[in-house]
Amino acid sequence: MASNSSNGDHQTSTKQPPLPSPLRFSKFFQSNMRILVTGGAGFIGSHLVDRLMENEKNEVIVADNYFTGSKDNLKKWIGHPRFELIRHDVTEPLLIEVDQIYHLACPASPIFYKYNPVKTIKTNVIGTLNMLGLAKRVGARFGFLLYFQRNLKCCYKLFLIGSNFLDRILLTSTSEVYGDPLVHPQPESYWGNVNPIGVRSCYDEGKRVAETLMFDYHRQHGLEIRIARIFNTYGPRMNIDDGRVVSNFIAQALRGEPLTVQSPGTQTRSFCYVSDMVDGLIRLMEGPNTGPINLGNPGEFTMVELAETVKELINPKVEIKMVENTPDDPRQRKPDISQAKELLGWEPKIKLRDGLPRMEEDFRLRLGVDKSN
Ligand SMILES: NC(=O)c1ccc[n+]([C@@H]2O[C@H](COP(=O)([O-])OP(=O)(O)OC[C@H]3O[C@@H](n4cnc5c(N)ncnc54)[C@H](O)[C@@H]3O)[C@@H](O)[C@H]2O)c1
Ligand SMILES: O=c1ccn([C@@H]2O[C@H](COP(=O)(O)OP(=O)(O)O[C@H]3OC[C@@H](O)[C@H](O)[C@H]3O)[C@@H](O)[C@H]2O)c(=O)[nH]1
């Protein structure tokens, strides 16, 4: 038995691998687009997955280590034939075949990215290197040489199929690359004012290196890249105890606890609703521009104004309490979105006053607090 099977194995290994199914060459064959979303179990990632899954030609693969994300965010897709979920840490290489990569994996809330700063910087630098390595490996090469040697006609047909795809990788960078900005609002041409050794550096310097790596792979290896600089985004599915300001204020208002404004409260942010953000990311991926492109809502609010709005809309009885701030908190932030408007035809549609009640609804459900309370 043993010798038979080893003979058999030997014979098989000298055989050429089989050609792709003849169905691939049929007139009506249309291959699906395989899209990898790293960090797809997180807040923005899971909304992006929902949108990508709406297109029946998309197969979506999520790779996530569940540090700040959860399978719960993807529960409606688990078991779907066009969906796959992989527990994977992007600091380790990933060997799969994909046509596009949305690279989001990275904790985004300051509390979580400061929790293990070394891991945060590894996620940004090694994680991005691994995803660029994957993009380079699968990028538009398609094993032509092998097929060329074997079958010229087949190679031509594969070329026709392959040329339907433009392999691309999109990085979700951040407005934090502008640090504590001295230019206001921030255009993409501003190089920023970042503390390289501060407690936020693991994230903001990490994202700056990630942007550098994207452009180096683009220039050196011809990779198709896209970079979105995302400004503060909010909406349903944010972790309730995520620590970011909008989720904190809504959870506090619903629990009847004081809204904790970190001093001085005059610092500003611009808040974009998540469906607008997802729309911007997909337009950037599909369009011809590499970026970096700012994506955000230019409506600018102080943290006291935000607290007052949440109080008015959700629970007029709660107090607003001033608490101590954390180091290096940017004093002002507002995106200049002229490029997004001009190059992507994109601008956000949902105002803060319309987005907050949608998020309130989701938080009420998850916290089990109904409207009458
Ligand atoms: N939400 C915002 O306001 C905002 C602003 C600027 C940039 N961004 C960027 O957008 C992306 C998504 O942000 P979000 O708000 O959805 O955050 P999130 O924390 O909800 O999601 C991040 C996801 O990445 C996963 N992850 C973290 N480290 C990982 C690792 N090493 N390997 C695999 N998975 C890992 C987490 O488990 C989570 O599912 C991040 O890259 C973030 O930097 C977000
Ligand atoms: O309870 C709180 C939490 C936060 N804040 C303040 O609210 C402002 C916003 O803080 P957040 O923690 O929500 O977010 P930040 O603007 O600091 O960072 C954010 O922006 C860029 C993204 O890349 C990051 O992922 C995101 O968390 C800060 O000025 C902070 O001091 C409060 O006043 N109260």
Side-chain angles (χ1 to χ4, degrees):
M1 270 308 266
S3 70
N4 275 350
S5 99
S6 78
N7 273 345
D9 283 346
H10 177 71
Q11 274 179 4
T12 335
S13 67
T14 56
K15 262 182 148 180
Q16 296 278 6
L19 284 171
S21 153
L23 278 177
R24 272 189 93 89
F25 309 127
S26 84
K27 194 169 161 198
F28 301 105
F29 177 80
Q30 260 193 302
S31 166
N32 280 1
M33 176 72 94
R34 283 155 308 171
I35 304 174
L36 171 65
V37 181
T38 73
F43 160 53
I44 299 179
S46 63
H47 286 277
L48 174 65
V49 169
D50 289 351
R51 192 75 70 82
L52 294 172
M53 286 295 291
E54 282 171 14
N55 182 342
E56 287 186 0
K57 289 274 163 241
N58 289 340
E59 285 173 26
V60 177
I61 303 167
V62 165
D64 201 297
N65 70 352
Y66 308 126
F67 175 46
T68 51
S70 144
K71 283 185 195 167
D72 213 40
N73 289 336
L74 297 167
K75 61 176 181 260
K76 74 171 166 197
W77 301 119
I78 292 172
H80 192 289
R82 289 187 287 108
F83 180 77
E84 260 175 88
L85 180 56
I86 310 171
R87 178 189 288 268
H88 179 81
D89 192 306
V90 293
T91 59
E92 300 295 333
L94 180 63
L95 293 173
I96 55 174
E97 304 302 315
V98 288
D99 303 305
Q100 278 189 348
I101 303 170
Y102 284 90
H103 177 39
L104 279 73
C106 179
S109 163
I111 290 183
F112 286 93
Y113 70 61
K114 290 190 238 176
Y115 171 77
N116 183 345
V118 172
K119 177 71 190 200
T120 300
I121 202 152
K122 281 186 179 171
T123 296
N124 278 316
V125 178
I126 302 173
T128 304
L129 262 174
N130 282 333
M131 291 309 115
L132 284 162
L134 170 62
K136 182 177 164 225
R137 185 178 62 80
V138 295
R141 278 165 192 83
F142 240 77
F144 283 149
L145 283 179
L146 174 75
Y147 283 106
F148 188 82
Q149 283 167 351
R150 290 174 50 198
N151 185 335
L152 201 69
K153 199 166 141 206
C154 165
C155 170
Y156 174 67
K157 283 181 174 166
L158 274 176
F159 172 76
L160 289 181
I161 293 167
S163 63
N164 290 335
F165 302 127
L166 263 182
D167 292 59
R168 288 171 189 187
I169 174 166
L170 179 150
L171 169 75
T172 51
S173 184
T174 168
S175 53
E176 297 227 1
V177 298
Y178 301 122
D180 187 11
L182 305 175
V183 170
H184 194 73
Q186 295 80 52
E188 292 83 354
S189 54
Y190 178 48
W191 287 358
N193 176 38
V194 176
N195 176 358
I197 55 165
V199 291
R200 297 175 86 101
S201 316
C202 57
Y203 183 76
D204 47 29
E205 290 287 23
K207 290 283 188 182
R208 286 167 71 97
V209 175
E211 287 196 14
T212 308
L213 287 168
M214 294 282 287
F215 266 91
D216 283 338
Y217 268 72
H218 174 62
R219 285 182 290 252
Q220 194 174 335
H221 299 298
L223 277 197
E224 278 275 355
I225 59 158
R226 303 287 180 267
I227 297 177
R229 288 190 181 149
I230 299 181
F231 284 65
N232 297 57
T233 301
Y234 70 101
R237 289 195 201 142
M238 286 186 90
N239 280 325
I240 286 172
D241 296 308
D242 178 275
R244 284 180 270 187
V245 69
V246 183
S247 44
N248 271 8
F249 286 178
I250 293 187
Q252 288 162 343
L254 292 176
R255 288 168 170 151
E257 294 167 358
L259 310 187
T260 53
V261 173
Q262 294 177 348
S263 63
T266 49
Q267 70 272 35
T268 65
R269 293 294 187 275
S270 305
F271 300 101
C272 185
Y273 192 71
V274 66
S275 57
D276 282 332
M277 181 54 59
V278 165
D279 189 35
L281 291 174
I282 292 177
R283 278 176 193 241
L284 175 59
M285 180 65 114
E286 301 301 329
N289 302 287
T290 59
I293 289 193
N294 289 339
L295 294 178
N297 190 321
E300 185 185 9
F301 300 86
T302 67
M303 292 312 104
V304 169
E305 283 168 346
L306 176 69
E308 282 165 351
T309 311
V310 170
K311 178 178 160 114
E312 178 202 322
L313 293 177
I314 300 177
N315 184 356
K317 287 188 230 142
V318 289
E319 272 178 64
I320 295 177
K321 182 169 109 187
M322 204 58 79
V323 298
E324 207 183 319
N325 206 338
T326 52
D328 292 341
D329 183 38
R331 280 164 290 186
Q332 53 179 359
R333 208 148 68 200
K334 168 183 166 132
D336 174 336
I337 59 162
S338 328
Q339 284 217 34
K341 281 185 182 166
E342 191 186 320
L343 301 175
L344 310 179
W346 177 87
E347 65 181 311
K349 298 190 186 91
I350 298 179
K351 294 195 194 91
L352 185 64
R353 278 183 167 272
D354 299 327
L356 288 175
R358 298 186 194 192
M359 188 164 162
E360 176 195 351
E361 216 176 285
D362 170 66
F363 269 47
R364 275 190 190 281
L365 269 176
R366 287 195 282 154
L367 284 169
V369 180
D370 60 38
K371 203 86 182 164
S372 54
N373 286 354

